[in-house]
Amino acid sequence: MSAGPMDGGGGRCEFVVRPDGTVAGDDGAAGALAAALPYTGRLARRAGELLGVGDLRALEALGRRRLTVGVTWTPAGEGTYRAVLAPAETRTVPTFMVVGGADATATAVHCVDRVRAVAGVRWAGVVTAGSRVVATAGDGVARGHLDEVGNRVLAILRSLEDQHVAGFVRLRFEEAFVVGASLGRHVLVACTDATDEHALLATIDEVRAILADHDLLSVPTQDDPSAAGAASVDETADEVRVEAAPSPPPLVGARFAGAGAREPRKGRRRFGRGTLSPSPGETPRRSTRG
């Protein structure tokens, strides 16, 4: 496959990465993008195995440029990657002002529900940089593997970010699509059928704006007993509203230290031949043995 010219504005190019690592064509990034594809392919293929959605067939990443990659596999599990890198269509990302006082936990749950409401989305979840699942919505969500899947999708986004195609990635498997979107240091993961890209991206823009002022590291791991008192979505959904605003959203907040205090040790009664050690609150008793 021949490579198209690359100009200063980042024109279209095509290239192939073979199973032995050799590259035909020019990736427009001095080989860095071509070198990243086998790594991202292995990460994505394992994510598909964990989710049970079949083998990886294609990868699409979007940022300032659009990367489209078709994947075929050898019997030994080595991939051939046929890639096209082109300028992305100009997309106006609106600025938002978030109005409402919901806490970070309720806000994260609200956001995954917003993504789940997009036609074609089966389920969605938010996974932190520490591989903690803090919110999910939808039927069939892979609770047992979503932490590892999120970790792999986040690694894919990071591996492509230097090529200006990170921020949004869509993995096409035999039985479903898996979408990943960066949330600062964290990631939104969704499993979908065919979806309207514009509707999905618009919702992700909204979710990013809503979560920008919340520290996701402060959100308890989902199903953690400490989250039992968190408000339900029905109680908080009306508290979170998004309105257009002239200023950009703030960055994600500072790290959360989150270390809990240890519980004090309980007193223990010990039995011996001469004395009995009193438990807290008891009066010491003398031994009656001579």
PDB file of all heavy atoms in Angstrom, residues 88-113:
ATOM      1  N   ALA A  88      -8.731  15.110  10.794  1.00  0.00           N
ATOM      2  CA  ALA A  88     -10.101  14.913  11.275  1.00  0.00           C
ATOM      3  C   ALA A  88     -10.974  16.065  10.812  1.00  0.00           C
ATOM      4  O   ALA A  88     -10.502  17.186  10.597  1.00  0.00           O
ATOM      5  CB  ALA A  88     -10.113  14.818  12.798  1.00  0.00           C
ATOM      6  N   GLU A  89     -12.250  15.769  10.652  1.00  0.00           N
ATOM      7  CA  GLU A  89     -13.203  16.818  10.321  1.00  0.00           C
ATOM      8  C   GLU A  89     -13.243  17.834  11.468  1.00  0.00           C
ATOM      9  O   GLU A  89     -13.178  17.474  12.640  1.00  0.00           O
ATOM     10  CB  GLU A  89     -14.601  16.231  10.113  1.00  0.00           C
ATOM     11  CG  GLU A  89     -14.681  15.246   8.964  1.00  0.00           C
ATOM     12  CD  GLU A  89     -16.066  14.635   8.856  1.00  0.00           C
ATOM     13  OE1 GLU A  89     -16.956  15.034   9.642  1.00  0.00           O
ATOM     14  OE2 GLU A  89     -16.250  13.758   7.995  1.00  0.00           O
ATOM     15  N   THR A  90     -13.353  19.076  11.102  1.00  0.00           N
ATOM     16  CA  THR A  90     -13.431  20.126  12.124  1.00  0.00           C
ATOM     17  C   THR A  90     -14.715  19.952  12.922  1.00  0.00           C
ATOM     18  O   THR A  90     -15.808  19.855  12.367  1.00  0.00           O
ATOM     19  CB  THR A  90     -13.406  21.520  11.481  1.00  0.00           C
ATOM     20  OG1 THR A  90     -12.206  21.656  10.716  1.00  0.00           O
ATOM     21  CG2 THR A  90     -13.463  22.593  12.550  1.00  0.00           C
ATOM     22  N   ARG A  91     -14.556  19.873  14.225  1.00  0.00           N
ATOM     23  CA  ARG A  91     -15.715  19.668  15.099  1.00  0.00           C
ATOM     24  C   ARG A  91     -15.679  20.730  16.183  1.00  0.00           C
ATOM     25  O   ARG A  91     -14.683  20.879  16.892  1.00  0.00           O
ATOM     26  CB  ARG A  91     -15.664  18.270  15.721  1.00  0.00           C
ATOM     27  CG  ARG A  91     -16.919  17.896  16.489  1.00  0.00           C
ATOM     28  CD  ARG A  91     -16.863  16.420  16.873  1.00  0.00           C
ATOM     29  NE  ARG A  91     -15.821  16.146  17.847  1.00  0.00           N
ATOM     30  CZ  ARG A  91     -16.015  16.199  19.163  1.00  0.00           C
ATOM     31  NH1 ARG A  91     -17.188  16.520  19.657  1.00  0.00           N
ATOM     32  NH2 ARG A  91     -15.015  15.932  19.985  1.00  0.00           N
ATOM     33  N   THR A  92     -16.757  21.457  16.311  1.00  0.00           N
ATOM     34  CA  THR A  92     -16.836  22.491  17.332  1.00  0.00           C
ATOM     35  C   THR A  92     -17.249  21.864  18.647  1.00  0.00           C
ATOM     36  O   THR A  92     -18.333  21.297  18.764  1.00  0.00           O
ATOM     37  CB  THR A  92     -17.847  23.582  16.933  1.00  0.00           C
ATOM     38  OG1 THR A  92     -17.456  24.145  15.684  1.00  0.00           O
ATOM     39  CG2 THR A  92     -17.913  24.657  17.999  1.00  0.00           C
ATOM     40  N   VAL A  93     -16.361  21.940  19.625  1.00  0.00           N
ATOM     41  CA  VAL A  93     -16.663  21.405  20.950  1.00  0.00           C
ATOM     42  C   VAL A  93     -17.205  22.550  21.795  1.00  0.00           C
ATOM     43  O   VAL A  93     -16.497  23.520  22.066  1.00  0.00           O
ATOM     44  CB  VAL A  93     -15.414  20.802  21.614  1.00  0.00           C
ATOM     45  CG1 VAL A  93     -15.750  20.274  23.007  1.00  0.00           C
ATOM     46  CG2 VAL A  93     -14.841  19.694  20.737  1.00  0.00           C
ATOM     47  N   PRO A  94     -18.460  22.469  22.206  1.00  0.00           N
ATOM     48  CA  PRO A  94     -19.024  23.570  22.996  1.00  0.00           C
ATOM     49  C   PRO A  94     -18.392  23.648  24.373  1.00  0.00           C
ATOM     50  O   PRO A  94     -17.874  22.667  24.893  1.00  0.00           O
ATOM     51  CB  PRO A  94     -20.512  23.207  23.098  1.00  0.00           C
ATOM     52  CG  PRO A  94     -20.535  21.713  22.947  1.00  0.00           C
ATOM     53  CD  PRO A  94     -19.411  21.376  22.006  1.00  0.00           C
ATOM     54  N   THR A  95     -18.412  24.827  24.953  1.00  0.00           N
ATOM     55  CA  THR A  95     -18.001  24.984  26.349  1.00  0.00           C
ATOM     56  C   THR A  95     -19.251  24.890  27.211  1.00  0.00           C
ATOM     57  O   THR A  95     -20.361  25.188  26.767  1.00  0.00           O
ATOM     58  CB  THR A  95     -17.307  26.330  26.577  1.00  0.00           C
ATOM     59  OG1 THR A  95     -18.176  27.390  26.149  1.00  0.00           O
ATOM     60  CG2 THR A  95     -15.993  26.386  25.810  1.00  0.00           C
ATOM     61  N   PHE A  96     -19.057  24.435  28.436  1.00  0.00           N
ATOM     62  CA  PHE A  96     -20.186  24.187  29.318  1.00  0.00           C
ATOM     63  C   PHE A  96     -19.963  24.848  30.664  1.00  0.00           C
ATOM     64  O   PHE A  96     -18.840  25.050  31.096  1.00  0.00           O
ATOM     65  CB  PHE A  96     -20.367  22.683  29.565  1.00  0.00           C
ATOM     66  CG  PHE A  96     -20.671  21.884  28.322  1.00  0.00           C
ATOM     67  CD1 PHE A  96     -19.649  21.246  27.630  1.00  0.00           C
ATOM     68  CD2 PHE A  96     -21.963  21.750  27.855  1.00  0.00           C
ATOM     69  CE1 PHE A  96     -19.912  20.499  26.499  1.00  0.00           C
ATOM     70  CE2 PHE A  96     -22.241  21.008  26.726  1.00  0.00           C
ATOM     71  CZ  PHE A  96     -21.218  20.379  26.044  1.00  0.00           C
ATOM     72  N   MET A  97     -21.068  25.152  31.300  1.00  0.00           N
ATOM     73  CA  MET A  97     -21.041  25.548  32.697  1.00  0.00           C
ATOM     74  C   MET A  97     -21.949  24.580  33.441  1.00  0.00           C
ATOM     75  O   MET A  97     -23.123  24.420  33.083  1.00  0.00           O
ATOM     76  CB  MET A  97     -21.541  26.974  32.902  1.00  0.00           C
ATOM     77  CG  MET A  97     -21.560  27.404  34.368  1.00  0.00           C
ATOM     78  SD  MET A  97     -22.033  29.141  34.561  1.00  0.00           S
ATOM     79  CE  MET A  97     -23.705  29.125  33.912  1.00  0.00           C
ATOM     80  N   VAL A  98     -21.399  23.882  34.427  1.00  0.00           N
ATOM     81  CA  VAL A  98     -22.157  22.891  35.163  1.00  0.00           C
ATOM     82  C   VAL A  98     -22.826  23.561  36.348  1.00  0.00           C
ATOM     83  O   VAL A  98     -22.173  24.237  37.145  1.00  0.00           O
ATOM     84  CB  VAL A  98     -21.236  21.740  35.633  1.00  0.00           C
ATOM     85  CG1 VAL A  98     -22.045  20.694  36.390  1.00  0.00           C
ATOM     86  CG2 VAL A  98     -20.544  21.117  34.434  1.00  0.00           C
ATOM     87  N   VAL A  99     -24.140  23.386  36.456  1.00  0.00           N
ATOM     88  CA  VAL A  99     -24.912  23.985  37.530  1.00  0.00           C
ATOM     89  C   VAL A  99     -25.456  22.873  38.407  1.00  0.00           C
ATOM     90  O   VAL A  99     -26.107  21.947  37.917  1.00  0.00           O
ATOM     91  CB  VAL A  99     -26.078  24.834  36.981  1.00  0.00           C
ATOM     92  CG1 VAL A  99     -26.875  25.455  38.131  1.00  0.00           C
ATOM     93  CG2 VAL A  99     -25.547  25.894  36.036  1.00  0.00           C
ATOM     94  N   GLY A 100     -25.195  22.900  39.704  1.00  0.00           N
ATOM     95  CA  GLY A 100     -25.724  21.875  40.599  1.00  0.00           C
ATOM     96  C   GLY A 100     -24.716  21.528  41.670  1.00  0.00           C
ATOM     97  O   GLY A 100     -23.526  21.770  41.524  1.00  0.00           O
ATOM     98  N   GLY A 101     -25.213  20.943  42.745  1.00  0.00           N
ATOM     99  CA  GLY A 101     -24.351  20.669  43.880  1.00  0.00           C
ATOM    100  C   GLY A 101     -24.168  19.199  44.178  1.00  0.00           C
ATOM    101  O   GLY A 101     -23.875  18.841  45.311  1.00  0.00           O
ATOM    102  N   ALA A 102     -24.364  18.315  43.198  1.00  0.00           N
ATOM    103  CA  ALA A 102     -24.226  16.885  43.447  1.00  0.00           C
ATOM    104  C   ALA A 102     -22.777  16.538  43.781  1.00  0.00           C
ATOM    105  O   ALA A 102     -21.845  17.150  43.264  1.00  0.00           O
ATOM    106  CB  ALA A 102     -24.672  16.094  42.223  1.00  0.00           C
ATOM    107  N   ASP A 103     -22.582  15.550  44.656  1.00  0.00           N
ATOM    108  CA  ASP A 103     -21.228  15.145  44.998  1.00  0.00           C
ATOM    109  C   ASP A 103     -20.624  14.313  43.875  1.00  0.00           C
ATOM    110  O   ASP A 103     -21.289  13.981  42.888  1.00  0.00           O
ATOM    111  CB  ASP A 103     -21.199  14.398  46.339  1.00  0.00           C
ATOM    112  CG  ASP A 103     -21.973  13.078  46.306  1.00  0.00           C
ATOM    113  OD1 ASP A 103     -22.215  12.540  45.197  1.00  0.00           O
ATOM    114  OD2 ASP A 103     -22.323  12.585  47.388  1.00  0.00           O
ATOM    115  N   ALA A 104     -19.347  13.985  44.014  1.00  0.00           N
ATOM    116  CA  ALA A 104     -18.626  13.318  42.932  1.00  0.00           C
ATOM    117  C   ALA A 104     -19.209  11.945  42.617  1.00  0.00           C
ATOM    118  O   ALA A 104     -19.283  11.546  41.451  1.00  0.00           O
ATOM    119  CB  ALA A 104     -17.145  13.197  43.295  1.00  0.00           C
ATOM    120  N   THR A 105     -19.624  11.203  43.639  1.00  0.00           N
ATOM    121  CA  THR A 105     -20.175   9.868  43.410  1.00  0.00           C
ATOM    122  C   THR A 105     -21.460   9.944  42.601  1.00  0.00           C
ATOM    123  O   THR A 105     -21.632   9.237  41.600  1.00  0.00           O
ATOM    124  CB  THR A 105     -20.434   9.160  44.751  1.00  0.00           C
ATOM    125  OG1 THR A 105     -19.204   9.046  45.466  1.00  0.00           O
ATOM    126  CG2 THR A 105     -21.028   7.775  44.533  1.00  0.00           C
ATOM    127  N   ALA A 106     -22.384  10.796  43.029  1.00  0.00           N
ATOM    128  CA  ALA A 106     -23.655  10.937  42.316  1.00  0.00           C
ATOM    129  C   ALA A 106     -23.436  11.470  40.900  1.00  0.00           C
ATOM    130  O   ALA A 106     -24.124  11.062  39.957  1.00  0.00           O
ATOM    131  CB  ALA A 106     -24.573  11.869  43.097  1.00  0.00           C
ATOM    132  N   THR A 107     -22.471  12.353  40.736  1.00  0.00           N
ATOM    133  CA  THR A 107     -22.201  12.919  39.421  1.00  0.00           C
ATOM    134  C   THR A 107     -21.664  11.865  38.467  1.00  0.00           C
ATOM    135  O   THR A 107     -22.054  11.810  37.295  1.00  0.00           O
ATOM    136  CB  THR A 107     -21.194  14.075  39.543  1.00  0.00           C
ATOM    137  OG1 THR A 107     -21.719  15.052  40.438  1.00  0.00           O
ATOM    138  CG2 THR A 107     -20.946  14.719  38.196  1.00  0.00           C
ATOM    139  N   ALA A 108     -20.756  11.000  38.944  1.00  0.00           N
ATOM    140  CA  ALA A 108     -20.221   9.937  38.094  1.00  0.00           C
ATOM    141  C   ALA A 108     -21.324   8.982  37.649  1.00  0.00           C
ATOM    142  O   ALA A 108     -21.372   8.565  36.490  1.00  0.00           O
ATOM    143  CB  ALA A 108     -19.121   9.176  38.840  1.00  0.00           C
ATOM    144  N   VAL A 109     -22.220   8.641  38.562  1.00  0.00           N
ATOM    145  CA  VAL A 109     -23.338   7.760  38.211  1.00  0.00           C
ATOM    146  C   VAL A 109     -24.246   8.436  37.192  1.00  0.00           C
ATOM    147  O   VAL A 109     -24.706   7.807  36.223  1.00  0.00           O
ATOM    148  CB  VAL A 109     -24.123   7.365  39.480  1.00  0.00           C
ATOM    149  CG1 VAL A 109     -25.384   6.595  39.115  1.00  0.00           C
ATOM    150  CG2 VAL A 109     -23.252   6.527  40.403  1.00  0.00           C
ATOM    151  N   HIS A 110     -24.520   9.708  37.387  1.00  0.00           N
ATOM    152  CA  HIS A 110     -25.334  10.459  36.425  1.00  0.00           C
ATOM    153  C   HIS A 110     -24.698  10.429  35.034  1.00  0.00           C
ATOM    154  O   HIS A 110     -25.387  10.266  34.019  1.00  0.00           O
ATOM    155  CB  HIS A 110     -25.486  11.906  36.901  1.00  0.00           C
ATOM    156  CG  HIS A 110     -26.050  12.832  35.867  1.00  0.00           C
ATOM    157  ND1 HIS A 110     -27.390  12.893  35.566  1.00  0.00           N
ATOM    158  CD2 HIS A 110     -25.431  13.731  35.050  1.00  0.00           C
ATOM    159  CE1 HIS A 110     -27.579  13.792  34.602  1.00  0.00           C
ATOM    160  NE2 HIS A 110     -26.404  14.318  34.285  1.00  0.00           N
ATOM    161  N   CYS A 111     -23.377  10.573  34.978  1.00  0.00           N
ATOM    162  CA  CYS A 111     -22.685  10.638  33.690  1.00  0.00           C
ATOM    163  C   CYS A 111     -22.748   9.316  32.932  1.00  0.00           C
ATOM    164  O   CYS A 111     -22.956   9.308  31.710  1.00  0.00           O
ATOM    165  CB  CYS A 111     -21.240  11.076  33.900  1.00  0.00           C
ATOM    166  SG  CYS A 111     -21.074  12.832  34.291  1.00  0.00           S
ATOM    167  N   VAL A 112     -22.558   8.192  33.616  1.00  0.00           N
ATOM    168  CA  VAL A 112     -22.640   6.922  32.898  1.00  0.00           C
ATOM    169  C   VAL A 112     -24.067   6.653  32.439  1.00  0.00           C
ATOM    170  O   VAL A 112     -24.292   6.026  31.392  1.00  0.00           O
ATOM    171  CB  VAL A 112     -22.088   5.742  33.735  1.00  0.00           C
ATOM    172  CG1 VAL A 112     -20.595   5.860  33.932  1.00  0.00           C
ATOM    173  CG2 VAL A 112     -22.807   5.608  35.061  1.00  0.00           C
ATOM    174  N   ASP A 113     -25.043   7.141  33.183  1.00  0.00           N
ATOM    175  CA  ASP A 113     -26.423   7.028  32.728  1.00  0.00           C
ATOM    176  C   ASP A 113     -26.671   7.863  31.473  1.00  0.00           C
ATOM    177  O   ASP A 113     -27.430   7.467  30.582  1.00  0.00           O
ATOM    178  CB  ASP A 113     -27.386   7.463  33.833  1.00  0.00           C
ATOM    179  CG  ASP A 113     -27.757   6.320  34.763  1.00  0.00           C
ATOM    180  OD1 ASP A 113     -27.451   5.160  34.423  1.00  0.00           O
ATOM    181  OD2 ASP A 113     -28.341   6.583  35.826  1.00  0.00           O
TER     182      ASP A 113
END
